[in-house]
Amino acid sequence: MWLDQGTWRSQGDGVWAKGDLRVTVTEYDDHPQDERAGRPTPAGFRSVDLRFVSEDFKVPRTVRNLPWDVLAGGMRIKDRRGEPTIAPDLTPILDFLPFQVEVGCGTSIEAGIPPLHYLHEVYRVTDRRDNTLTPSHAFTLSPEADTLIPEMLLSADTKAPDLVAMFRACFLAEPTAAHHALKALHTAGYLVGPVITHNFDALSARAGLPEVFVRRYDQKIPPVPLLPEARALLVVGLHADRRAVQQRAREMGMRIFYVDPEGLVENGTFKPYPIEGARTGDVVVRQAAIPALLRLCELLNVTA
């Protein structure tokens, strides 16, 4: 019904066309991926796969299997917060030089890139809509609540800009004062190693810094170059240790410092968003990246 209403044209073998888009629709009583993983199909439940691609684009097998590989890994267990020390600035890190840095989406948001939960909204992963305050950000699990398929089939032309908005913002964004501050600290020798980044905007690299990308879903625990000479790990704008970077740094005896406002403003209201995995003995500076890193450059007499 949605295919007809969306003016898709059947090309046979479950393939439908609209402009340069192609969608393949495959229905299953028991999905092969569920059978392979030993997941029983609930009574009365059927599966449907919809795969949208541009004309003549071939999706590699590894990419097709990636969502199922992630599902097989199970849900992440939430970290348990301790009692970190709250500091007005990064003065305490001066006793733990040199340091390495791990950056999350906070530095990207300052550059005008939407926060990561924007993709959750676009793909209807959660019940959150339009960056508004909601009681919860619960996952959308029931077919009745999932609006992505009808949006894609009925309004592909208007949905497409939403799907590419974050990536377009990444191309247009420029490194901020925070990235340039990190570059200056790296040049001065206070920051060592590559920027350990969860961001796919390459802003650190474009500021002249080496970087290693760790938010890869084909690597649940990716390799991370933690250096023996580093005495601290500075975590900037990252809410949770999903790749066990901080855990491994602690095991190496590194002190953990966080720069994070621990909250965000939505519709004029400040919403607390505590760092999930901060431990007793860690230090938290409740600032955005730019003022915190510029202040660190002042403390170290480094020109950013």
Side-chain angles (χ1 to χ4, degrees):
M1 179 180 67
W2 288 332
L3 287 162
D4 291 334
Q5 292 177 7
T7 66
W8 294 80
R9 304 184 315 276
S10 175
Q11 294 193 320
D13 297 325
V15 180
W16 297 72
K18 183 175 183 178
D20 64 351
L21 285 178
R22 300 293 181 268
V23 58
T24 302
V25 182
T26 311
E27 298 184 49
Y28 301 97
D29 289 324
D30 297 292
H31 200 288
Q33 293 281 2
D34 287 330
E35 292 180 329
R36 192 173 297 121
R39 287 186 294 266
T41 301
F45 189 90
R46 302 185 72 222
S47 299
V48 58
D49 278 356
L50 281 84
R51 183 183 306 152
F52 293 85
V53 297
S54 298
E55 185 178 11
D56 296 328
F57 181 78
K58 303 297 182 183
V59 182
R61 180 182 178 86
T62 53
V63 174
R64 292 199 308 270
N65 286 341
L66 186 54
W68 296 99
D69 294 339
V70 173
L71 178 64
M75 298 294 289
R76 181 182 64 90
I77 299 174
K78 188 174 182 178
D79 285 335
R80 303 181 68 176
R81 183 180 172 104
E83 296 182 3
T85 299
I86 307 300
D89 60 23
L90 283 168
T91 296
I93 205 174
L94 302 184
D95 294 326
F96 297 91
L97 299 175
F99 66 90
Q100 289 191 250
V101 69
E102 178 185 15
V103 299
C105 67
T107 53
S108 301
I109 292 171
E110 288 181 326
I113 297 171
L116 186 60
H117 65 68
Y118 172 80
L119 292 180
H120 295 170
E121 299 170 29
V122 169
Y123 288 95
R124 305 314 186 203
V125 175
T126 72
D127 61 2
R128 184 182 176 118
R129 294 289 188 273
D130 301 323
N131 198 31
T132 56
L133 287 170
T134 56
S136 69
H137 303 158
F139 284 102
T140 301
L141 299 176
S142 65
E144 296 82 3
D146 192 339
T147 61
L148 180 60
I149 290 177
E151 287 176 3
M152 291 293 296
L153 294 180
L154 298 176
S155 309
D157 294 342
T158 56
K159 185 64 175 176
D162 291 339
L163 299 176
V164 302
M166 176 172 279
F167 307 99
R168 181 177 184 273
C170 289
F171 281 115
L172 296 176
E174 296 291 340
T176 69
H179 299 97
H180 294 304
L182 290 175
K183 170 61 175 173
L185 292 165
H186 191 272
T187 300
Y190 297 116
L191 166 61
V192 295
V195 174
I196 303 165
T197 181
H198 295 247
N199 307 328
F200 46 79
D201 49 38
L203 287 176
S204 297
R206 288 157 59 190
L209 287 158
E211 68 174 19
V212 55
F213 179 66
V214 296
R215 199 177 179 88
R216 290 179 52 177
Y217 287 93
D218 60 338
Q219 296 179 331
K220 191 169 184 179
I221 305 295
V224 174
L226 294 173
L227 307 183
E229 64 267 30
R231 300 181 60 202
L233 176 67
L234 175 59
V235 184
V236 182
L238 182 65
H239 176 255
D241 188 13
R242 288 179 170 85
R243 301 297 179 267
V245 177
Q246 295 142 55
Q247 174 186 327
R248 284 177 279 176
R250 288 190 185 92
E251 292 170 354
M252 291 182 60
M254 298 168 68
R255 190 75 175 269
I256 311 298
F257 293 83
Y258 295 94
V259 167
D260 194 295
E262 293 210 282
L264 65 160
V265 177
E266 292 183 334
N267 298 333
T269 301
F270 182 82
K271 182 177 180 180
Y273 191 37
I275 296 169
E276 183 178 300
R279 302 283 199 272
T280 302
D282 297 344
V283 176
V284 175
V285 176
R286 288 174 172 162
Q287 292 183 358
I290 291 175
L293 293 175
L294 289 179
R295 172 60 178 158
L296 179 58
C297 287
E298 290 180 5
L299 293 169
L300 290 168
N301 294 316
V302 170
T303 302

